Amino acid sequence: MGAEIATSGSESLVTALIAHGDDNLVLAQRLGEWISNAPELEEDIALGNIALDHLGVARALYTHAGQIEGRGRTEDDFAMRRAEREFLNVLLVEQPNGDFAHTMIRALFFDAYQVDLWEELTASDDDTLSGIAARAGKEARYHLLHSSAWTVRLGDGTEESHRRAQDAVDALWRYTDELFHGPGQVSRERWQATIEQVLEEAGLEVPDDPYQWGGGRRGLHSEHLGSLLAEMQWMQRSYPGLQW
Amino acid sequence: MSPEERFDAIVSAEEKVEPADWMPEEYRKTLIRQIAQHAHSEVIGMQPEGNWIARAPTLHRKAILMAKVQDEAGHGLYLYSAAETLGVNRDELQELLHQGRHKYSSIFNYPTLSWADIGTIGWLVDGAAITNQVMLTRCSFGPYARAMVRICKEESFHQRQGYEALIRLCSGSPDQKAMAQDALDRWWWPSLMMFGPHDTDSTHTEQSMNWKIKRVSNDDLRQQFVDMTVPQAAYLGLTIPDPDLQWNEERGHYDFGEIDWDEFWAVVKGNGPMNRDRVEHKVRAWKEGAWVREAATAHAAKKTAAAVVVGAA
Amino acid sequence: MTYEVPVVPGESADIDEGTDLSTEAWPLWEVFVRARRGLSHVHLGSLHAADPESALQNARDVYTRRGEGASLWVVRSSEIHSFDPEEISDFIEANEKVYRLATTYDIPDEVGHM
């Protein structure tokens, strides 16, 4: 059983809300793993705050999706009681954290996309969504400041940091195309311009890799999502139907 | 007035000693160790609680727990910042922690085995922290007292969220109630141990009291904590695992049993259930982050050098 | 809860001479926040950062988590200059020039508030 992007009116809105919610939830879960593991205490705080931002956006989107859908689904129904093949997040966000460079490059690619996405969605006819987009957009701009500054520090830091940053760019590039297919009309050109500018300042090369991998928006994920969900959903699956 | 007399006058007038003031070397050393260990406690404390972020049962609980742990990191930062005013570097203090020569609150050497542990830590550990922290806002050293005021303001949500999580469990299913009781059974005695040895066995107490670093004795703080907490446990319908616990009408306080001091000293010496894991985790994160810190420093130096060139042109 | 965890006999809490601390420590920055329009900046504490941008971002993350910041300054601690504590009482005016104080002057009540 998979999930297809719906095409009709409010159904497609619900699907879009869930997809963006899933993107933010999965990334929040990943960033939470850095807590007590960051290179310096200040960065622990920064990554934790960013994780909280993404979690907050996910919760707002799920809640709104549940309301429109009208089947009584709550934020926890979406997060904790859907199987892997029902999740609609892009593959980029479910990739493991890797080293700090890997996490920052993943963030750079996603943040630049989010800034454009939320800007577009502030113009939505749906007032609630446009409100969520306004707040999420502000946060995304801050996230992009953080990830692009780190990309430059690492790309133009030491030889080791440069190598790790380039490895991360090369490894994650194949997950970027997926950002531009699916809900939202975010333009690849604009995203590419932002990314190229940051990479240039960082002394990093744009990869020459023509190969792209997607499927997340259709519920076809890498092996990583399964373990992530198993851990996240453990309590609800072990003790169903209780209040916490 | 000699510097010693001026220092004594400041302390006895309940004024604050500030970093630029003359102070006895022992006062400085005691404060450095205590503030640093307080900071280390906040940082190490992120591990047992961080252990349940990925598995928090709802998104709401996940958000609360993440926010709490972030607050703790921030508190660690305020405290290191206060310690650094005494002429030490944060990296030196951290090295002492990594070598096991600086300690952190013994409570964090116990494992978090269930979701109920998270609520219990909020209730008991933050409850104990608040007891101690209110006292520390009256500490004679300005930067430490000010950091404590800031921390106290942020701390009250920590205890409430923990207790609220337990109210949910204790009014939930039999499994949930049993989970809460099990957590209390494991965390009660370590919570009492947090207040340290009897004052009669504590070499520092008298000097710290004279210098107004410490304002209330270990035993008095521990008694305060017990008196506050017993009714809270009763409200939850949980049983405190101490057969000697009972109200003493004459004293106006609860009598309670004797702490297992062998366990206490074992944990202080580094042989508690999680001591090694906590320090290894901390050291590993620090080592793995070395290349990141070096990169940031290298990049900043490049930018400064470039600016100098531009300025000179 | 005590942070004065007892020192175990035989252990020292002092740093050894020659211990390698060369992890390229990030410099220290002091943080000043003006909570609201109309107030002045208050010193809130310090943090470590490699450059001004991350100092600012970190200060925002650490000191304005509860929305308490209309304006945020970070200053390298090494750029803060002060009098020597021994000198300060010599250089800062003792209250001898009482003619600077408004209370020295007697204005009759009939003149009104001045």
Side-chain angles (χ1 to χ4, degrees):
Chain A
M1 188 208 119
E4 293 296 330
I5 303 281
T7 48
S8 75
S10 77
E11 228 179 72
S12 76
L13 175 59
V14 170
T15 305
L17 291 171
I18 292 172
H20 296 313
D22 289 345
D23 282 349
N24 277 274
L25 176 65
V26 170
L27 186 56
Q29 188 75 358
R30 278 291 183 228
L31 290 175
E33 293 166 19
W34 275 104
I35 290 171
S36 80
N37 291 305
E40 186 64 269
L41 194 52
E42 285 83 352
E43 205 46 45
D44 227 299
I45 295 173
L47 290 172
N49 282 353
I50 293 170
L52 271 167
D53 287 347
H54 286 298
L55 180 57
V57 168
R59 295 178 66 196
L61 291 168
Y62 287 147
T63 301
H64 190 43
Q67 282 161 358
I68 302 179
E69 190 187 57
R71 282 164 43 195
R73 285 210 277 182
T74 65
E75 62 184 11
D76 289 318
D77 286 316
F78 288 109
M80 305 292 186
R81 283 180 274 279
R82 281 185 303 146
E84 189 179 337
R85 293 281 278 108
E86 297 170 78
F87 269 75
L88 304 179
N89 56 283
V90 289
L91 299 184
L92 178 66
V93 295
E94 72 194 49
Q95 299 309 306
N97 287 332
D99 65 15
F100 191 71
H102 212 87
T103 291
M104 284 301 105
I105 297 298
R106 183 187 63 197
L108 173 72
F109 292 165
F110 188 67
D111 295 340
Y113 157 70
Q114 292 271 279
V115 166
D116 292 346
L117 174 74
W118 296 125
E119 192 183 301
E120 207 185 278
L121 290 179
T122 46
S124 169
D125 288 334
D126 181 308
D127 284 339
T128 306
L129 177 55
S130 109
I132 294 172
R135 171 187 137 210
K138 232 167 81 172
E139 291 171 354
R141 284 190 291 280
Y142 185 76
H143 301 165
L144 182 59
L145 261 183
H146 181 263
S147 54
S148 53
W150 270 111
T151 300
V152 171
R153 269 177 220 123
L154 298 179
D156 187 26
T158 60
E159 263 181 58
E160 180 176 4
S161 70
H162 178 89
R163 177 183 53 80
R164 288 176 185 256
Q166 188 64 64
D167 284 350
V169 171
D170 294 343
L172 294 170
W173 193 254
R174 60 184 46 186
Y175 298 111
T176 56
D177 206 53
E178 190 183 11
L179 299 170
F180 308 103
H181 304 289
Q185 307 300 307
V186 179
S187 116
R188 183 170 187 128
E189 285 70 41
R190 203 169 127 178
W191 177 91
Q192 185 95 7
T194 304
I195 295 303
E196 280 178 5
Q197 184 188 34
V198 177
L199 292 182
E200 193 194 317
E201 200 188 330
L204 295 166
E205 311 261 311
V206 176
D208 201 5
D209 183 0
Y211 192 72
Q212 289 288 334
W213 194 239
R217 297 289 193 217
R218 297 192 313 279
L220 293 166
H221 293 278
S222 70
E223 286 183 353
H224 301 297
L225 186 66
S227 331
L228 182 150
L229 293 181
E231 190 175 42
M232 188 177 74
Q233 298 181 345
W234 157 258
M235 286 295 287
Q236 289 282 352
R237 301 283 186 183
S238 304
Y239 301 94
L242 300 179
Q243 298 298 308
W244 300 94
Chain B
M1 237 195 195
S2 73
E4 291 89 343
E5 286 167 328
R6 187 164 31 215
F7 172 81
D8 289 337
I10 291 171
V11 172
S12 42
E14 293 285 342
E15 284 175 20
K16 298 302 181 201
V17 176
E18 297 294 348
D21 291 330
W22 182 91
M23 59 186 79
E25 193 50 30
E26 262 315 297
Y27 179 84
R28 180 190 305 273
K29 278 174 122 172
T30 300
L31 272 174
I32 288 173
R33 207 179 98 252
Q34 185 172 326
I35 299 172
Q37 290 188 160
H38 193 162
H40 298 326
S41 300
E42 298 282 355
V43 171
I44 296 289
M46 293 165 68
Q47 289 182 39
E49 296 188 284
N51 185 34
W52 278 89
I53 286 175
R55 288 174 294 167
T58 65
L59 297 186
H60 179 60
R61 291 291 169 202
K62 192 193 291 285
I64 290 172
L65 186 54
M66 282 171 78
K68 177 175 197 272
V69 174
Q70 289 318 100
D71 268 357
E72 273 145 30
H75 295 173
L77 221 131
Y78 302 157
L79 290 163
Y80 284 127
S81 160
E84 285 186 294
T85 64
L86 288 162
V88 285
N89 192 285
R90 191 209 291 179
D91 282 3
E92 291 174 39
L93 302 174
Q94 193 172 238
E95 182 58 24
L96 287 165
L97 171 68
H98 291 176
Q99 290 175 12
R101 280 152 31 151
H102 262 190
K103 311 288 185 183
Y104 48 89
S105 189
S106 54
I107 193 77
F108 300 120
N109 290 310
Y110 291 86
T112 48
L113 301 179
S114 78
W115 171 251
D117 288 30
I118 297 302
T120 305
I121 287 176
W123 171 39
L124 297 181
V125 178
D126 289 300
I130 289 169
T131 308
N132 194 47
Q133 278 162 188
V134 170
M135 172 191 81
L136 288 171
T137 57
R138 293 161 45 222
C139 161
S140 54
F141 185 58
Y144 193 20
R146 286 190 290 276
M148 293 317 308
V149 168
R150 218 185 150 84
I151 288 173
C152 282
K153 265 203 258 187
E154 298 179 358
E155 198 74 46
S156 58
F157 118 72
H158 294 186
Q159 192 188 24
R160 282 184 202 199
Q161 63 79 36
Y163 193 69
E164 196 218 29
L166 288 174
I167 292 177
R168 255 334 144 74
L169 297 182
C170 293
S171 53
S173 75
D175 278 343
Q176 286 177 305
K177 180 103 186 250
M179 201 192 284
Q181 182 63 61
D182 173 66
L184 178 57
D185 289 343
R186 286 180 287 102
W187 288 90
W188 176 253
W189 289 103
S191 299
L192 295 193
M193 289 179 203
M194 281 192 299
F195 294 93
H198 288 308
D199 296 286
T200 45
D201 300 326
S202 173
T203 45
H204 290 276
T205 293
E206 200 188 322
Q207 185 58 275
S208 289
M209 296 279 243
N210 289 340
W211 281 332
K212 301 194 178 166
I213 293 174
K214 191 173 180 51
R215 306 307 305 256
V216 181
S217 72
N218 290 350
D219 289 321
D220 284 348
L221 283 174
R222 189 171 10 242
Q223 182 69 71
Q224 210 179 303
F225 172 75
V226 173
D227 292 342
M228 172 179 80
T229 309
V230 171
Q232 293 168 348
Y235 179 83
L236 292 172
L238 296 177
T239 306
I240 290 178
D242 181 0
D244 299 317
L245 181 69
Q246 65 179 8
W247 177 252
N248 183 319
E249 188 60 45
E250 209 182 292
R251 289 199 311 127
H253 293 289
Y254 282 96
D255 288 336
F256 52 95
E258 195 60 32
I259 286 169
D260 178 353
W261 295 108
D262 289 338
E263 183 180 330
F264 173 82
W265 285 108
V267 175
V268 169
K269 286 178 184 161
N271 298 316
M274 294 297 289
N275 292 61
R276 286 202 184 171
D277 299 74
R278 299 293 183 229
V279 177
E280 276 170 17
H281 178 132
K282 177 76 184 64
V283 171
R284 181 185 38 78
W286 182 249
K287 286 190 173 156
E288 284 175 2
W291 68 269
V292 179
R293 297 188 299 275
E294 281 158 20
T297 304
H299 179 74
K302 287 187 201 181
K303 275 177 85 168
T304 309
V308 167
V309 168
V310 168
Chain C
M1 164 121 126
T2 185
Y3 306 101
E4 341 133 27
V5 184
V7 179
V8 178
E11 281 186 355
S12 133
D14 295 323
I15 199 114
D16 283 331
E17 297 261 327
T19 299
D20 180 23
L21 297 171
S22 64
T23 46
E24 301 289 344
W26 290 346
L28 194 60
W29 302 74
E30 303 298 327
V31 180
F32 299 84
V33 174
R34 175 162 59 71
R36 282 191 311 284
R37 194 170 290 285
L39 299 178
S40 44
H41 284 79
V42 175
H43 176 247
L44 290 186
S46 61
L47 48 79
H48 288 270
D51 54 54
E53 292 72 30
S54 51
L56 275 171
Q57 285 182 14
N58 291 338
R60 175 254 195 208
D61 287 335
V62 176
Y63 290 101
T64 67
R65 267 198 318 288
R66 283 162 167 79
E68 324 96 309
S71 169
L72 190 64
W73 291 346
V74 292
V75 182
R76 249 186 235 268
S77 308
S78 55
E79 289 300 327
I80 294 191
H81 306 274
S82 62
F83 280 119
D84 204 298
E86 313 273 281
E87 299 171 313
I88 199 166
S89 53
D90 292 343
F91 295 155
I92 295 211
E93 293 276 2
N95 262 346
E96 280 165 5
K97 300 197 172 72
V98 296
Y99 49 78
R100 288 200 195 278
L101 299 175
T103 48
T104 304
Y105 302 93
D106 247 338
I107 307 291
D109 288 336
E110 305 92 88
V111 173
H113 177 73
M114 187 180 283

